[in-house]
């Protein structure tokens, strides 16, 4: 008697099996006494060799100022040749249905409509990790605090506690997820995060006011500050002059960041609004318009939003500052006349 279209190859000889033989992975075999034998495929469930499963999976949040190198740190510490990546971005409209999955209508070939569970990125990578125990998987969540993370995770929150090997300490029951991960005949099997699945997120500290991650949620992640420092940046990058000036990117960054941190209550953001080491690309450091539209706008609109004292008082608007900066008649260090005397004097120190 065959109840599943996929037969084991070759079909086992059940005459030689003891009566109580009930499981030969991944099929259950029934031996019938009296010389009559048959194969009943009662459960074609996915089975894995747990002894071979990679260990060490964990939950990590890398946080720091924009451009401090959070994504670079992930790629360095978790190289793509060692992990299979799934990457997504949280945002205010991102939901549990987007992350885990949802019931969606589907039109069949015969014109009938069925309602099936469409898995989201979490369920998809969970399935892959479960079925491929010797492979490491990495779910990367960019901007985790730009979405309502506790609501997006829902009951998955329970799975974030891990044991020493990286497996979920607790399990949940979810028939829709179980059907995808374990097969349609095992929807009652508990869900857990396996030890070969890492969940890593990034968070800009300047965006903490978007959605606050509560203590209970943060406790289930290892929190790692990515220092905003040029010490690990490539020499050719940090010593790259801005445009045709004598001022390097490192000099400009450290000078402006010093003003930000020393301004105290006069800035709306203090240290969280500092310029990150990788706030700009090399190409943006060589292009007047790109530099002005990104850096000067950020400083005017965001960092010094309520106190324009860092700028030359002759400039009353952002437009006036940008027009002056990108004017071809202004070249070299004169382009930084847009800042006050103190900042210009600091930028001029130790220039080449």
């Amino acid at each position: 008697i065959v109840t599943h279209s996929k037969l084991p190859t070759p079909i086992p000889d059940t005459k030689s099996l003891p009566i109580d033989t009930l499981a030969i992975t991944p099929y259950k075999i029934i031996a019938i006494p009296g010389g009559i034998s048959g194969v009943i495929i009662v459960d074609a469930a996915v089975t894995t060799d747990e002894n071979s499963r990679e260990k060490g999976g964990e939950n990590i949040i890398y946080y720091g100022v924009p451009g401090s190198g959070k994504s670079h740190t992930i790629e360095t510490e978790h190289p793509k040749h060692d992990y299979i990546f799934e990457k997504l971005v949280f945002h205010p409209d991102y939901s549990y249905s987007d992350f885990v999955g949802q019931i969606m209508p589907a039109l069949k070939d015969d014109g009938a409509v069925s309602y099936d569970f469409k898995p989201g990125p979490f369920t998809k990578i969970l399935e892959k990790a479960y079925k491929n125990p010797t492979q490491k998987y990495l779910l990367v969540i960019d901007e985790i605090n730009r979405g309502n993370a506790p609501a997006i995770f829902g009951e998955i929150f329970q799975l974030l506690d891990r044991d020493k090997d990286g497996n979920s300490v607790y399990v949940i029951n979810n028939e829709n997820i179980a059907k995808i991960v374990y097969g349609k005949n095992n929807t009652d099997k508990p869900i857990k995060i396996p030890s070969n699945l890492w969940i890593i997120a990034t968070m800009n500290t300047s965006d903490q006011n978007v959605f606050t991650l509560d203590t209970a949620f943060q406790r289930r992640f290892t929190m790692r500050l990515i220092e905003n420092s040029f010490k690990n940046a490539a020499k050719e990058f940090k010593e790259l002059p801005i445009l045709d000036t004598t001022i390097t990117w490192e000099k400009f960054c450290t000078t402006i960041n010093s003003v930000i941190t020393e301004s105290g209550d006069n800035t709306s953001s203090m240290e969280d609004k500092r310029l990150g080491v990788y706030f700009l690309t090399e190409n943006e450091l060589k292009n007047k318009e790109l530099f002005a539209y990104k850096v000067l706008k950020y400083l005017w609109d965001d960092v010094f939003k309520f106190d324009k004292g860092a700028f030359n008082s002759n400039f009353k608007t952002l437009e006036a500052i940008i027009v002056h900066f990108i004017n071809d008649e202004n070249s070299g260090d004169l382009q930084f006349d847009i800042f006050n005397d103190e900042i210009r004097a600091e930028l001029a120190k130790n220039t080449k």
Side-chain angles (χ1 to χ4, degrees):
I1 304 170
V2 180
T3 60
H4 193 283
S5 59
K6 184 177 180 181
L7 290 173
T9 306
I11 297 176
D13 178 10
T14 60
K15 291 180 180 179
S16 62
L17 297 174
I19 299 301
D20 59 353
T21 299
L22 293 178
I24 296 182
T25 305
Y27 302 93
K28 291 183 179 178
I29 309 302
I30 293 180
I32 302 175
I36 302 173
S37 65
V39 179
I40 302 179
I41 310 302
V42 294
D43 190 355
V46 177
T47 58
T48 59
D49 179 7
E50 290 302 314
N51 291 326
S52 67
R53 187 171 296 281
E54 289 281 351
K55 294 179 174 60
E58 55 184 332
N59 315 315
I60 308 172
I61 292 179
Y62 294 93
Y63 67 97
V65 301
S68 57
K70 297 180 287 295
S71 295
H72 175 73
T73 301
I74 291 175
E75 293 176 0
T76 301
E77 297 185 354
H78 302 85
K80 290 186 177 180
H81 58 77
D82 287 340
Y83 296 81
I84 293 179
F85 278 65
E86 176 77 33
K87 193 170 185 180
L88 56 96
V89 180
F90 279 8
H91 54 79
D93 293 328
Y94 201 78
S95 68
Y96 174 89
S97 297
D98 298 315
F99 185 57
V100 177
Q102 59 185 313
I103 304 293
M104 297 286 288
L107 186 63
K108 295 184 176 181
D109 293 338
D110 61 2
V113 176
S114 65
Y115 290 86
D116 302 317
F117 179 71
K118 182 179 179 182
F122 172 79
T123 302
K124 289 178 181 178
I125 199 168
L126 182 67
E127 176 193 11
K128 293 174 183 176
Y130 176 74
K131 292 179 178 178
N132 301 281
T134 60
Q135 174 64 56
K136 296 178 180 178
Y137 288 85
L138 179 59
L139 177 63
V140 179
I141 304 172
D142 271 339
E143 312 283 0
I144 190 171
N145 59 322
R146 294 195 69 82
N148 188 349
I152 293 170
F153 272 80
E155 81 273 26
I156 303 302
F157 173 84
Q158 285 291 107
L159 306 181
L160 296 177
D161 281 303
R162 308 257 198 153
D163 62 22
K164 61 182 179 61
D165 290 331
N167 295 296
S168 292
V169 173
Y170 306 108
V171 298
I172 63 170
N173 291 303
N174 185 306
E175 291 185 0
N176 290 319
I177 298 177
K179 183 177 180 180
I180 299 297
V181 176
Y182 306 128
K184 64 181 181 180
N185 296 317
N186 287 272
T187 56
D188 59 343
K189 186 173 181 178
I191 304 297
K192 70 175 184 177
I193 297 175
S195 60
N196 61 323
L197 175 56
W198 280 250
I199 299 177
I200 297 182
T202 66
M203 180 174 76
N204 285 330
T205 50
S206 61
D207 293 331
Q208 286 192 46
N209 60 329
V210 180
F211 281 98
T212 301
L213 295 181
D214 59 58
T215 303
F217 192 88
Q218 291 191 48
R219 185 186 67 77
R220 288 163 170 80
F221 285 80
T222 298
M223 304 295 291
R224 282 192 51 189
L225 171 67
I226 303 303
E227 183 182 1
N228 188 38
S229 172
F230 278 92
K231 65 183 180 182
N232 294 322
K235 183 178 180 181
E236 57 270 21
F237 177 72
K238 62 185 178 182
E239 294 184 356
L240 185 68
I242 299 173
L243 307 171
D244 58 348
T245 72
T246 61
I247 300 166
T248 67
W249 173 235
E250 180 179 17
K251 179 66 176 178
F252 181 84
C253 254
T254 52
T255 299
I256 296 299
N257 286 344
S258 178
V259 174
I260 293 172
T261 55
E262 292 175 3
S263 295
D265 295 336
N266 292 329
T267 57
S268 61
S269 49
M270 298 183 67
E271 64 174 338
D272 289 340
K273 289 293 187 181
R274 288 174 297 159
L275 290 169
V277 172
Y278 303 102
F279 188 86
L280 290 180
T281 65
E282 184 174 330
N283 182 54
E284 289 169 328
L285 288 170
K286 296 178 179 180
N287 185 292
K288 268 196 172 194
E289 286 79 11
L290 294 179
F291 184 92
Y293 298 155
K294 190 169 185 178
V295 176
L296 301 185
K297 181 183 185 304
Y298 175 68
L299 295 178
W300 181 276
D301 282 346
D302 232 342
V303 179
F304 302 112
K305 182 176 183 178
F306 300 110
D307 183 357
K308 307 300 185 187
F311 295 97
N312 186 325
S313 60
N314 292 323
F315 299 97
K316 306 301 183 183
T317 65
L318 173 61
E319 180 180 344
I321 284 177
I322 290 179
V323 168
H324 176 84
F325 188 86
I326 66 177
N327 191 325
D328 289 336
E329 295 181 1
N330 298 318
S331 60
D333 294 359
L334 290 176
Q335 292 164 104
F336 291 111
D337 284 351
I338 57 174
F339 293 109
N340 65 29
D341 293 341
E342 183 180 347
I343 292 177
R344 292 204 306 272
E346 186 62 32
L347 289 174
K349 289 181 181 179
N350 302 318
T351 55
K352 295 181 180 179

